[in-house]
């Protein structure tokens, strides 16, 4: 296995979209994905990027990705928010997720963010266990997620 972790390129968006659909299936919400390749590419590589990502690649195939954006906390300042971290099913359990998260940590330190935040579904035990292995991770059970679809 020869895995490369690198910053995502616009050319990766097609493969990232495939992984987004895989994640939506895993999370039992495939109908919730309403963006397409053009939306993803424009949002990440247009005039005002809204997201950045790292990809895990083997033999020219993107097998995982970690996508983040910057959020602002009035208490903590700029923080990295990890929207998605996914390694395709065939490659799970091989340390690739850890390599992707290590790249996120390095990026957050370089950009002097005050921390990294994310969400994980309460039933997703493999992901919860993955995050616990990172070390000093805090899970907050007090907050409810709100959303207003437009």
């Amino acid at each position: 296995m020869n895995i490369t972790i690198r910053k995502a390129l616009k050319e990766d968006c097609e493969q990232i979209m495939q992984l987004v659909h895989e994640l939506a299936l895993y999370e039992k919400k495939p109908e919730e994905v309403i963006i397409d390749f053009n939306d993803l590419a424009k949002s990440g590589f247009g005039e005002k990027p809204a997201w950045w990502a790292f990809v895990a690649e083997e033999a020219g195939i993107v097998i995982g990705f970690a996508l983040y954006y910057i959020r602002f906390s009035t208490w903590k300042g700029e923080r990295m928010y990890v929207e998605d971290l996914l390694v395709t099913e065939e490659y799970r359990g091989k340390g690739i997720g850890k390599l992707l998260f290590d790249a996120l940590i390095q990026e957050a330190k370089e950009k002097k963010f005050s921390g990294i935040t994310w969400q994980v579904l309460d039933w997703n035990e493999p992901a919860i266990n993955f995050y616990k292995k990172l070390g000093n991770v805090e899970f907050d059970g007090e907050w409810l997620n709100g959303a207003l679809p437009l």
Side-chain angles (χ1 to χ4, degrees), residues 43-60:
S43 295
F45 298 95
E47 195 173 302
K48 295 180 181 179
W51 62 265
W52 298 265
F54 289 92
V55 296
E57 180 181 61
E58 183 182 50

Side-chain angles (χ1 to χ4, degrees), residues 15-126:
Q15 293 180 78
I16 291 172
M17 278 303 307
Q18 292 171 2
L19 292 171
V20 166
H21 286 286
E22 181 179 334
L23 179 60
L25 279 172
Y26 179 77
E27 293 184 353
K28 303 172 180 93
K29 301 261 186 191
E31 71 284 353
E32 294 288 324
V33 179
I34 61 171
I35 70 164
D36 62 17
F37 166 83
N38 291 326
D39 296 326
L40 185 70
K42 180 182 176 194
S43 295
F45 298 95
E47 195 173 302
K48 295 180 181 179
W51 62 265
W52 298 265
F54 289 92
V55 296
E57 180 181 61
E58 183 182 50
I61 306 294
V62 174
I63 58 168
F65 76 104
L67 186 145
Y68 78 91
Y69 57 87
I70 302 166
R71 67 176 285 255
F72 185 79
S73 165
T74 56
W75 292 7
K76 307 287 185 186
E78 286 188 347
R79 308 198 88 178
M80 175 184 282
Y81 184 85
V82 180
E83 178 66 21
D84 287 327
L85 172 67
L86 176 80
V87 175
T88 194
E89 188 172 6
E90 175 185 347
Y91 286 87
R92 291 183 194 147
K94 301 176 190 285
I96 298 166
K98 174 79 164 77
L99 293 174
L100 285 165
F101 212 92
D102 287 347
L104 292 171
I105 292 169
Q106 184 63 34
E107 180 93 344
K109 287 178 178 179
E110 287 174 8
K111 295 194 175 198
K112 301 194 183 331
F113 296 142
S114 65
I116 302 173
T117 59
W118 64 90
Q119 294 173 304
V120 61
L121 292 165
D122 62 359
W123 57 261
N124 192 346
E125 286 297 322

Side-chain angles (χ1 to χ4, degrees), residues 69 81 83 119 142-150:
Y69 57 87
Y81 184 85
E83 178 66 21
Q119 294 173 304
E142 292 183 307
W143 294 89
L144 299 176
N145 294 315
L148 177 64
L150 301 176

